[in-house]
Amino acid sequence: MKNVLKFIPFFLMLSLLTFSCSEDEADSNNTNNCTTDPAVTVGENIIGTWVVGGVSSETVTFNANGTGFSSPGSFYFATTNNDKEYNNFDWVMAGPMTVLVTYNYGTDTPVVPYIISENFTATLNNCDRIEMEDAWSNNVELTR
């Protein structure tokens, strides 16, 4: 019995250390330190589907072939003309941090086919978050 009692403090210490370390590891896993390798450009990182401004119902998708689309009713990455919403667009990199988005109204305009473009300049390029500024200095946040 004396031998068993000698090991109880050892087992108590071991259990305390085990629980202590596992909680620290769990906290470090929950911390999101997702940063993009500087070699990954905005043009490479932006490809995929993003949530716009933290509103889960508003998304935008940038395809690798230079096309894209936003969810219906989107404020950014969409436009309207004659009460018709245009959610499809073409995009190119107009500079290392600038995304040029172009909407084509086609023949839906009363006069001639009409094309409108707008620039979005990235101010932060993380793997799961891109912050941009539009031409009117509005901040646009994209998250995965």
Side-chain angles (χ1 to χ4, degrees):
M1 183 71 174
K2 276 185 174 182
N3 289 336
V4 172
L5 290 176
K6 288 180 183 176
F7 288 106
I8 288 177
F10 172 74
F11 287 116
L12 288 174
M13 287 280 283
L14 183 62
S15 349
L16 181 62
L17 288 173
T18 303
F19 287 117
S20 167
C21 290
S22 63
E23 287 176 19
D24 290 343
E25 289 170 8
D27 288 343
S28 69
N29 290 339
N30 289 336
T31 304
N32 190 357
N33 293 326
C34 181
T35 56
T36 302
D37 180 335
V40 177
T41 65
V42 173
E44 294 167 327
N45 188 32
I46 203 167
I47 295 170
T49 299
W50 298 83
V51 173
V52 181
V55 180
S56 61
S57 62
E58 189 170 333
T59 61
V60 62
T61 299
F62 292 87
N63 298 314
N65 66 358
T67 63
F69 59 92
S70 60
S71 54
S74 292
F75 183 76
Y76 293 104
F77 306 104
T79 189
T80 58
N81 182 38
N82 290 336
D83 296 326
K84 182 175 180 188
E85 186 173 26
Y86 294 86
N87 298 84
N88 295 319
F89 57 84
D90 294 322
W91 70 276
V92 296
M93 293 303 298
M97 301 294 278
T98 303
V99 179
L100 177 66
V101 175
T102 304
Y103 313 94
N104 187 343
Y105 296 149
T107 57
D108 290 341
T109 58
V111 184
V112 293
Y114 185 70
I115 297 173
I116 186 171
S117 298
E118 58 184 331
N119 286 322
F120 292 89
T121 303
T123 57
L124 177 72
N125 181 31
N126 284 353
C127 58
D128 63 349
R129 181 175 166 189
I130 297 177
E131 292 179 5
M132 306 176 106
E133 191 174 277
D134 68 10
W136 296 274
S137 298
N138 295 311
N139 293 319
V140 182
E141 180 183 79
L142 306 178
T143 54
R144 291 198 197 264

